[in-house]
Amino acid sequence: MRTWSALIAVSIGTFMLLVDVTIVTVALPRIAHDLDATLGGLQWVLDGYALALAAVLLASGALADRHGRRRVYLGGTVVFALASLLCAAAPNAALLVAARFLQGLGGAAMLATTVAILSVAYTGRDRGVAFGIWGAVNGAAAAAGPIAGGLLTEHLGWRWIFLVNLPVSLLALWFTARGVTESRGRADARLDVPGTLPFTISAAAVTYALIRGGDAGWTAPSTLGSFALAAVALAAFLAVERRTAHPMLDLRLFAKPSFSVLMAAAVLAQASAFAYLPFTTVWLQQFLGKGPVDAGLLGALPLSAASFAGGALGGRLLQRIAPRWTIGLGMLLIGAGALLQSRLTPSSAGTALIPGLIVAGFGVAAVLPTMASAALAAVPHEGSGMAGGAVNTFRQLGFALGVAVFGSLFADRLSSHHAPTDAVNHVTAVAGWVALAGGALVLLLVRTGRPAWESQKPPADREPTPVPADAA
């Protein structure tokens, strides 16, 4: 058992932090009722977590390289557990959002160190087994989230979706302390605070502007001011990253057109595949009268299950096809699945979503596991660590921005006295066209023609860089 303690520790932690992305979705109506939260407040319950993950993921990797992966993973797990307790005890929506942001900071520290911990702990065949199991755990987390969230919310209350993290965190801490040895990366690694701060401000400001625009109007001073702040902070981030010796994101990577397109595809894929799900869940519960368990089974599980099954059945084959085709065609499937869900009528039952969710899930199975390895194949080997981290960062940004955009569209339709079904149709149709546009972009512009696993073979004197499958 001790041999696999590192794998168990990393798998438990990863499962927990990924479940917390989807477990909240089915609890949103109950949270809104108990805390008197608006739709905008509910969006921040999701976006606070995603923005924190995106903001400090790359910085956490540098911190771990310098101060130790085991130490950062343990610290991230403690922060995640304490933040989960604060989430469960939150008396209002504002404090819940703040606790979710803190939870995302802990999750980022954990996620940023997992690949490195497994790479150090295992070699040869054991390494392949470890990453295979870890990839399966990632997929299982996406599928388990809606069910676990529904069961806990319906039978114990929504606060238990956060309280359940406490014993899980203790298990992760015990296995980490018992079986993970300390390791470090580059001795000259530095935490890029001057870059992290403007990046965080820019991402948060543009998300706030997108959410605020749906409530106050797109020409309101608060909306325009937030967009202006986002632009200024982004300009500051770009200026800092060009000059610093230790950037959190090396802008030279974007000189490769294929890498730039893949980062855009990461944003669009995450937004179009997952960011509309909270609003179909609201439709299922508030307008069709479904309970949290049924909402999880109908509104999210088909996509997660299809993604898991598609990855398990075709994962090895997909890695042997040029990423231009797997990612491009996968995004077309995501788009087709979303468009299938935009054909609801006032008499439609919740089961009408299932065919589209299954189609989108198979698209997710093609896109997400390939995205990281394709990004690594598009850059020189020395940039592989940062490229892999960038994929996760841009995916989380895609989810946060997608929730903000789709939430504004959903609220605008409802406030214009459209039927709830029409609001769902509008959101899913936009998601579908976004995915189709992203797929076309990849098919036209990505030029990493060889399969990713061939393109990233390192020189003989280097350790191979493991490329695990990403989860939703």
Side-chain angles (χ1 to χ4, degrees), residues 66 126 158 170 176 249 263 322 329 376 428 461:
R66 182 170 177 79
D126 284 350
W158 65 265
L170 289 176
T176 303
L249 182 60
M263 293 305 100
L329 295 178
L376 267 61
T428 50
D461 60 338

Side-chain angles (χ1 to χ4, degrees), residues 1 10 15 19 71 111 150 155 193 239 265 277-278 310 351 353 400 413 420 452:
M1 175 66 75
V10 166
F15 183 87
V19 160
R71 179 181 298 176
L111 189 59
H155 298 293
V193 175
L277 296 179
T351 53
L353 297 171
R413 285 284 164 146

Side-chain angles (χ1 to χ4, degrees), residues 398-459:
F399 181 76
L401 296 176
V403 168
V405 170
F406 295 148
S408 294
L409 294 174
F410 188 78
D412 180 66
R413 285 284 164 146
L414 292 180
S415 65
S416 300
H417 305 292
H418 287 78
T421 301
D422 180 67
V424 174
N425 284 341
H426 185 55
V427 166
T428 50
V430 172
W433 288 111
V434 165
L436 293 179
L441 192 70
V442 170
L443 291 172
L444 289 173
L445 298 179
V446 170
R447 286 292 178 267
T448 51
R450 289 178 295 163
W453 66 275
E454 289 183 2
S455 305
Q456 64 190 59
K457 288 181 180 177

